[in-house]
Amino acid sequence: MTFTELFALVDTHVAEGRFPGAVAAVRHAGTTHVHATGVQHLGSAIPMTPDTPFRIASLTKPFGGVLAQSLIADGTLDPAADVTRWLPELADLHVLVHPTAALDVRVPARGPVTVADLLQMTAGFGLRMDASPLAHAMWEQQVAPGPLPPALDPDTWLTRLGALPLADQPGEGWQYHSGSDALGVLLARVTGRSVAELLAERVTGPLGLTDTRFWTADPLPTAYAPGEDGLEVLDPPDGVWSRPPVFESLGGGLLSTAADVAGLLGAIADDALLGVAAADVLRDPLTDRQRASAQTFLGPGRTWAAGNLELTLEVSDPWTTPGRFGWTGGTGTTGYGDPTLDLVAVLLTQRMMTGPHDGPEEFWQAAHDAVSR
């Protein structure tokens, strides 16, 4: 099996200027192929290579999900536990009577946020894609999700988040992203270790994923965002990820390579994680109400699995099959495993997505077609 047409598609996107460069990794029938194309910076001749690191954004979430599941598996964490034992900033929460209500039109939370709520994104707080007072307040307080990790230290970030009302009662709705960052704060406080130390000890180290980390002193490809006059710099080579972060974000803070991301997804597919059963990572923990809320963001036929990643339940796009799992990052990164097709594929670019219809659908259709003929 070769992936000539798939890799040619990525080459075409580079040639057409969609992104300056990219690296793809595909595993099928026991063999992994890695393809690097293009350059690391507009106007430069520095080529992308198979080991080029990328800001993987929300592809960080499955790494954090596997880490949390390892702490649950060994008894360090109880998913049902009230998080205020470790996160007192989330005590005495209030909930808006409607997500778009004024900030003072609220009622007390009916119950606590649990560990599972952070992992499943059902804590009641998260990304607001509207012009509501809550969305404005989150941006004003610097706790709104974005393409870069939080600029605040974890204690300040959590204090500001906890001072805002929730959009949903804990455990009732589904709100994207922020639960992952709060989960990282929780894991560090529970263990007395940094998130980076925990990740290296329990996930990336055992799996041999040596190029996955929160920062690097080595130059990175320039990260771009589409603008009115073409691609504009989002983060330069010596930008946010070139120094130790103030916040080790499990929502979107990792650097990694295509091979490393494929290594994590492959370990899940092979049930080869250290001390964690793949069935626990891929379990659908959401209630019908929570799942319906999540599908307003994820799309039909999908759920948010216990390993902090998307899981396909029913075919909704021609390149999907039930049991397909993975996620996509807003900085132009995507990775999924598909057990039905014996496929793990990853595409890393440095072009930020502009919205839900600016994604890697062509790549996934070509990957599906390459192994299903």
Side-chain angles (χ1 to χ4, degrees):
M1 170 67 69
T2 64
F3 292 91
T4 303
E5 293 181 10
L6 175 64
F7 294 151
L9 172 67
V10 180
D11 291 342
T12 297
H13 283 165
V14 169
E16 292 176 347
R18 179 171 173 79
F19 33 76
V23 181
V26 184
R27 190 190 80 168
H28 179 69
T31 301
T32 299
H33 309 264
V34 180
H35 178 72
T37 183
V39 295
Q40 297 190 20
H41 323 282
L42 287 174
S44 85
I46 302 173
M48 288 291 186
T49 64
D51 59 356
T52 297
F54 288 79
R55 307 155 183 82
I56 63 170
S58 285
L59 265 180
T60 299
K61 290 178 172 69
F63 285 88
V66 171
L67 173 59
Q69 288 297 332
S70 77
L71 291 163
I72 291 170
D74 69 11
T76 301
L77 275 182
D78 176 1
D82 179 346
V83 301
T84 56
R85 174 181 171 186
W86 305 281
L87 307 180
E89 297 93 338
L90 299 184
D92 192 31
L93 295 172
H94 287 73
V95 184
L96 295 175
V97 297
H98 186 275
T100 60
L103 298 184
D104 59 350
V105 184
R106 56 190 188 176
V107 296
R110 291 194 288 266
V113 173
T114 66
V115 172
D117 284 328
L118 297 184
L119 189 55
Q120 296 162 196
M121 299 194 185
T122 55
F125 52 72
L127 176 67
R128 300 300 310 166
M129 300 178 68
D130 55 28
S132 65
L134 179 57
H136 177 76
M138 291 180 70
W139 279 110
E140 189 176 61
Q141 293 298 312
Q142 296 181 276
V143 296
L148 307 179
L152 303 172
D153 66 86
D155 294 350
T156 303
W157 181 88
L158 197 62
T159 296
R160 292 187 183 185
L161 183 70
L164 295 174
L166 305 180
D168 294 304
Q169 288 286 344
E172 291 190 2
W174 190 91
Q175 301 284 326
Y176 182 59
H177 186 89
S178 301
S180 296
D181 279 340
L183 178 68
V185 181
L186 175 80
L187 299 187
R189 291 185 184 178
V190 167
T191 62
R193 310 277 300 284
S194 72
V195 177
E197 290 172 334
L198 292 171
L199 199 66
E201 178 183 287
R202 290 173 172 264
V203 182
T204 58
L207 294 178
L209 309 180
T210 58
D211 295 318
T212 300
R213 62 199 64 173
F214 284 106
W215 71 282
T216 181
D218 299 327
L220 291 167
T222 302
Y224 296 96
E228 293 183 1
D229 299 318
L231 296 179
E232 302 173 352
V233 174
L234 173 69
D235 189 58
D238 60 350
V240 171
W241 278 267
S242 67
R243 61 190 70 90
V246 296
F247 194 121
E248 293 175 336
S249 167
L250 286 180
L254 281 177
L255 302 169
S256 194
T257 61
D260 269 18
V261 175
L264 177 75
L265 298 175
I268 297 171
D270 298 340
D271 198 6
L273 299 168
L274 178 66
V276 181
D280 291 331
V281 174
L282 297 177
R283 178 176 58 86
D284 176 13
L286 300 187
T287 65
D288 290 345
R289 180 173 179 174
Q290 292 167 346
R291 192 178 308 107
S293 178
Q295 287 176 351
T296 63
F297 183 85
L298 302 175
R302 297 171 169 89
T303 192
W304 195 252
N308 223 6
L309 43 74
E310 181 190 80
L311 176 68
T312 298
L313 300 176
E314 300 173 357
V315 172
S316 57
D317 294 302
W319 57 84
T320 63
T321 65
R324 181 178 184 259
F325 63 88
W327 196 224
T328 292
T331 52
T333 61
T334 186
Y336 283 83
D338 193 326
T340 299
L341 299 177
D342 183 24
L343 174 69
V344 171
V346 175
L347 175 65
L348 304 183
T349 82
Q350 77 268 51
R351 176 194 181 274
M352 183 178 171
M353 293 170 55
T354 58
H357 304 295
D358 185 33
E361 290 82 6
E362 284 187 84
F363 175 82
W364 288 116
Q365 186 65 67
H368 174 279
D369 293 347
V371 298
S372 58
R373 291 191 181 99

